[in-house]
């Protein structure tokens, strides 16, 4: 299938997870130029090697801890330098703390919200103005179904996903007119 992504500059957060691997493979098969973000870029070595064997452009794996504003900003800056422009941003990072609500302490809530919700906010805040200035770009945010149907033992992730849905809806109105 040709999705007209050949040579598109794609940044993918959460690239080290199973979903991230699948997304990276799909973009690589379309000929996109990839920057893969993960807390442990060494975990991406086999994925990078696999993509290279397909003849797709060599992906760049970058260290990025989305829970850190400076790490996120540095990774987005490095990605843009490597790609020239970010045409597509895919936010697929995040894992959720499970447990009984009253047993999940503030630190666990903060870790979950920092990685998934605030990591996405930081990424969007860095990329959206660049796309708006160019008058084009695509943003894909992966939010779990728990945003609408929360599981009682997975509430931190559900809260983060619900926040993402609100942001996506609001940004669609804000960014849509700018391409």
């Amino acid at each position: 299938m040709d999705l007209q992504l050949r040579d598109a500059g794609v940044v993918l957060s959460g690239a080290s997870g199973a979903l991230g691997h699948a997304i990276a493979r799909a973009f690589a098969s379309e000929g996109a130029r990839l920057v893969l973000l993960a807390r442990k870029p060494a975990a991406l070595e086999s994925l990078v090697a696999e993509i290279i064997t397909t003849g797709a452009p060599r992906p760049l794996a970058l260290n990025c801890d989305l829970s850190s504003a400076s790490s996120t900003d540095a990774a987005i800056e490095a990605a843009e330098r490597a790609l020239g422009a970010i045409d597509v941003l895919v936010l697929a990072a995040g894992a959720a703390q499970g447990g009984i609500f009253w047993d999940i302490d503030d630190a666990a809530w903060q870790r979950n919200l920092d990685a998934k919700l605030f990591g996405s906010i930081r990424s969007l805040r860095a990329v959206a103005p660049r796309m708006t200035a160019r008058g084009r770009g695509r943003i894909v945010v992966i939010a779990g179904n728990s945003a609408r149907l929360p599981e009682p033992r997975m509430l931190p992730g559900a809260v983060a996903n619900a926040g993402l849905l609100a942001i996506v809806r609001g940004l669609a109105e804000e960014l849509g007119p700018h391409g």
Side-chain angles (χ1 to χ4, degrees), residues 31-117:
R33 296 173 298 119
L34 293 168
V35 173
L36 308 173
L37 306 181
R39 283 184 301 234
K40 298 176 184 161
L44 298 172
E45 289 175 8
S46 64
L47 176 62
V48 169
E50 175 188 337
I51 289 172
I52 292 169
T53 65
T54 68
R58 179 185 184 82
L60 174 62
L62 294 177
N63 180 47
C64 181
D65 180 354
L66 293 174
S67 67
S68 161
S70 61
S71 178
T72 303
D73 289 345
I76 296 297
E77 288 293 329
E80 188 161 75
R81 279 193 308 275
L83 297 171
I86 299 170
D87 299 306
V88 180
L89 172 66
V90 180
L91 301 172
Q97 168 84 31
I100 298 172
F101 176 78
W102 50 86
D103 288 339
I104 302 172
D105 65 12
D106 288 356
W109 277 91
Q110 195 64 54
R111 279 191 308 276
N112 282 269
L113 293 174
D114 278 346
K116 185 154 183 96
L117 181 61

Side-chain angles (χ1 to χ4, degrees), residues 143-150 161 165:
N145 195 40
S146 65
R148 294 198 171 129
L149 299 169
N161 284 323
L165 290 185

